[in-house]
Amino acid sequence: MDERGYDGLQAVVFLVGIYEGLLPLVSKVFDWDPFLAFPLRLPDPLWWIVSGAVVVGCAVALELLDRAKKRVG
């Protein structure tokens, strides 16, 4: 895979991390109801865990993709 492929994957992972990880946490504070924020459909203690896991997982995935991109380039 070339650098553009890694850049595309990083963009997708970043957007998933924002929309499925951070947005549910912020939306509870401001009483929003985002349409595709799937963790908000879970019961109360479980959505916190899922949102946090998405944030951590996306941060790890971004770091791994960045290392792989540096090896290619």
Side-chain angles (χ1 to χ4, degrees):
M1 185 181 308
D2 60 347
E3 286 189 31
R4 286 182 13 179
Y6 284 114
D7 286 338
L9 281 175
Q10 284 178 323
V12 169
V13 169
F14 181 74
L15 290 175
V16 167
I18 295 293
Y19 204 82
E20 299 297 332
L22 292 178
L23 187 64
L25 298 171
V26 173
S27 69
K28 285 290 188 172
V29 172
F30 293 110
D31 199 30
W32 298 336
D33 189 26
F35 179 66
L36 290 176
F38 295 120
L40 292 177
R41 309 291 183 246
L42 297 171
D44 196 17
L46 190 58
W47 75 266
W48 284 93
I49 297 168
V50 171
S51 291
V54 168
V55 169
V56 170
C58 287
V60 169
L62 284 172
E63 178 63 29
L64 291 174
L65 286 170
D66 191 47
R67 287 182 186 178
K69 184 172 69 170
K70 288 179 182 176
R71 276 185 288 179
V72 170

